[in-house]
Amino acid sequence: MDFDRADAVNQAIRLLSLRHRARAATLLTPLGLHTGQEALLLELDRSGPSIQAQLSEALGSEPPSVTLMVRKLEGAGLVRRAPSAADRRASVVELTEDGKALVGRVKELWCALAEETVAGLSEETVAGLPELLRTMTANVDGRRSGHR
């Protein structure tokens, strides 16, 4: 690939990432959430109670970042932690009733953000985006970890 094409691809990905995150932050602020926290709440809704290591893996976030998010969400009354019966060193994180109620609002916001993001694209293009983006992510992950 020549530089001009590479630059166009890389700039488009970078700008989309920055602007999507900024738009998400704007939408999350009225809910009292910061970017990343919504993903943790949605993951708990999807998977149920989880240990923090599982959350870190599912979110693609570093464990200290997940620990900080969990502390803040716990302080807000949206999640609770309890010792794991299987591993005393681990904490199980689960949604509280307030957290479950907020997840419904987060899902509405998430749908609105996705609709804004793909406006003007064909249904066929939108349907193919998740697989395309997963492939691109795997390509970058493979290079970062020294594979491929």
Side-chain angles (χ1 to χ4, degrees):
M1 179 179 310
D2 68 17
F3 175 78
D4 289 338
R5 178 172 282 173
D7 188 46
V9 168
N10 289 325
Q11 288 293 342
I13 292 168
R14 185 182 72 79
L15 289 174
L16 173 60
S17 177
L18 290 170
R19 291 186 176 142
H20 189 271
R21 184 173 174 90
R23 181 67 179 135
T26 298
L27 294 171
L28 291 167
T29 297
L31 301 182
L33 296 174
H34 297 283
T35 52
Q37 292 176 331
E38 83 289 355
L40 192 146
L41 294 173
L42 290 169
E43 181 58 31
L44 287 172
D45 181 65
R46 196 173 12 260
S47 301
S50 304
I51 61 170
Q52 288 182 198
Q54 291 169 323
L55 289 170
S56 177
E57 179 69 26
L59 298 174
S61 297
E62 295 296 321
S65 297
V66 171
T67 299
L68 182 59
M69 274 194 280
V70 167
R71 273 195 209 129
K72 289 182 177 185
L73 292 169
E74 186 177 35
L78 300 173
V79 302
R80 70 177 142 261
R81 286 185 285 183
S84 168
D87 182 353
R88 294 254 183 234
R89 297 169 296 163
S91 294
V92 175
V93 182
E94 65 181 328
L95 292 169
T96 63
E97 289 306 314
D98 287 346
K100 290 175 186 175
L102 187 61
V103 164
R105 294 177 63 199
V106 170
K107 286 180 177 181
E108 291 171 7
L109 175 150
W110 218 226
C111 289
L113 178 58
E115 288 173 7
E116 286 179 20
T117 304
V118 301
L121 299 178
S122 71
E123 188 58 40
E124 183 179 325
T125 298
V126 172
L129 277 176
E131 183 60 28
L132 174 67
L133 294 171
R134 277 192 294 273
T135 298
M136 292 170 69
T137 300
N139 290 344
V140 173
D141 284 348
R143 298 276 184 202
R144 186 178 67 200
S145 64
H147 298 115
R148 299 181 124 238

